[in-house]
Amino acid sequence: MQPPGEASVSHADFERFIAKLLRATGATVKEQPHGDRGWDLEVTRMGAAPIFVECKLITPQTTHRLTSAFDQISSYAHTSDNPRVGMALATPGALSGSAKEFANRFGISIWDADWIRETADRVGLAEEAACIVGDEPSEQEQQTTNILIERLRAVEPGRRHWSQYQKLCREITHELFCPPLSAPIWERANLDATNKRDLILPNYAPDGLWAFFRSEYRADFVVIDAKNYRESIKKEEVLQIANYLQRHGAGLFALIFCRTPIDAKLVYILREQWVLYDKLITPLHDEDVVQMLTAKEHGRDPAEVIRQKIEDFRLQI
């Protein structure tokens, strides 16, 4: 079964629009012939070094995908004789401030939905841009996102503040996923009370990514644990939530909200649960959560981040 995609235009359409947008600003744009390897567009302005532009229709939203994209774009600069060559990633989705700071470490500019809208407004292409990246978020949407991100940053990692983090995760999951998921069920134990999870979101989504997750990964209910640890979660936390997952109970799909990226060794435990028992457990650290909130603010499906995390995980097996 093919998962729903986020794109409503083709890659060629997106690339042509970016070229048109740049030309409208007075730049000279050279498009790479179809099938050529390397950057998609070469942009030059009088007296300035060229900029190599990589266009990605599907916005990379995980650390793994961002790193891969930045490594790819950085390799283009090594093919140029000009040491001052610039690099940019153009994508129709919205990337978080943290992702943009990450790009800066590679010397790469991010031309995402915000940049595209702002540039299009200046050159009279706002209506066409809206067809590519959607409408600008409302003030209420921006305020909701900013408040939740600020509150997340303000919660100090550590077991002392676990209750505060747990309650905030409940608010965030409701903002991100409800609808299409039903409202979270709070701290529900199984029959003999041996396992209790922080949140459970019933999944009756009729279509979209959540319907796909239910069909392919038995996400009948989305089981969520929130772990406010300073360090990576450990094997014990994975096994605890795995014990709650049952084919004829809550299903086989879980998310762990945590503060930091997981230790590389933990991937083997997650892989074991998936390969041997069909239990798919996906950790989401703070930057994943911020990216999901940013995507939701801009009218994109935040579950796209989860889809990319799952793909990253499975393609490494």
Side-chain angles (χ1 to χ4, degrees), residues 18-48:
I18 293 298
K20 178 179 179 179
L21 181 62
L22 291 165
R23 290 186 179 111
T25 67
T28 299
V29 181
K30 178 181 177 181
E31 299 178 52
Q32 290 281 68
H34 181 70
D36 275 18
R37 295 190 176 185
W39 55 93
D40 295 312
L41 305 172
E42 183 176 335
V43 183
T44 54
R45 299 180 187 276
M46 186 174 297

